[in-house]
């Protein structure tokens, strides 16, 4: 099974709906896949993915809940779409 060919499921689409209805203003996920971003994209919701370390302005946004028009998606463990980040995490964990 090729994970990159799979589609977002009900859970991912529910998160996107919550964002669309302004019930969620920030997403933090440990998932490596891009299903949440794909669900947001399918609803026309602009998003920006942050990997690993958070930029200083991100913390300020969290405190003020000032996300403007772009929903932040924070992935502390990286993303499948960024192979070098995933590879580094696997090496750090002794899995590669």
């Amino acid at each position: 099974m090729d994970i990159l060919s799979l589609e977002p499921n009900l859970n991912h689409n529910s998160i996107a709906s919550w964002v669309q209805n302004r019930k969620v203003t920030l997403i933090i996920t440990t998932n490596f896949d891009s299903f949440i971003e794909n669900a947001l994209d399918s609803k026309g919701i602009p998003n920006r993915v942050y990997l690993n370390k958070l930029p200083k302005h991100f913390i300020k946004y969290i405190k003020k809940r000032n996300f403007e028009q772009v929903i932040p998606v924070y992935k502390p463990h990286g993303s499948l779409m960024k192979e070098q980040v995933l590879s580094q995490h696997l090496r750090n964990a002794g899995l590669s």
Side-chain angles (χ1 to χ4, degrees):
M1 177 187 315
D2 179 16
I3 192 167
L4 298 177
S5 67
L6 298 176
E7 298 286 324
N9 65 28
L10 177 63
N11 298 317
H12 306 108
N13 291 320
S14 294
I15 292 169
S17 292
W18 296 335
V19 170
Q20 194 171 44
N21 294 324
R22 301 186 186 273
K23 294 180 181 181
V24 170
T25 56
L26 162 70
I27 298 170
I28 301 174
T29 178
T30 57
N31 292 355
F32 286 106
D33 60 57
S34 60
F35 296 142
I36 292 173
E37 299 94 306
N38 293 345
L40 293 169
D41 290 341
S42 73
K43 291 190 176 289
I45 301 169
N47 59 86
R48 179 170 179 192
V49 177
Y50 295 89
L51 302 175
N52 302 321
K53 291 185 179 181
L54 287 173
K56 290 179 183 178
H57 73 275
F58 192 88
I59 302 301
K60 182 171 46 171
Y61 281 174
I62 290 172
K63 289 179 180 176
K64 292 184 178 181
R65 300 182 68 84
N66 178 20
F67 300 120
E68 300 173 5
Q69 299 297 319
V70 178
I71 184 80
V73 179
Y74 174 47
K75 295 181 150 197
H77 299 303
S79 171
L80 284 175
M81 304 315 285
K82 300 284 185 182
E83 288 181 30
Q84 68 276 14
V85 173
L86 181 58
S87 296
Q88 183 61 48
H89 280 289
L90 292 173
R91 279 194 297 280
N92 290 346
L95 299 173
S96 114

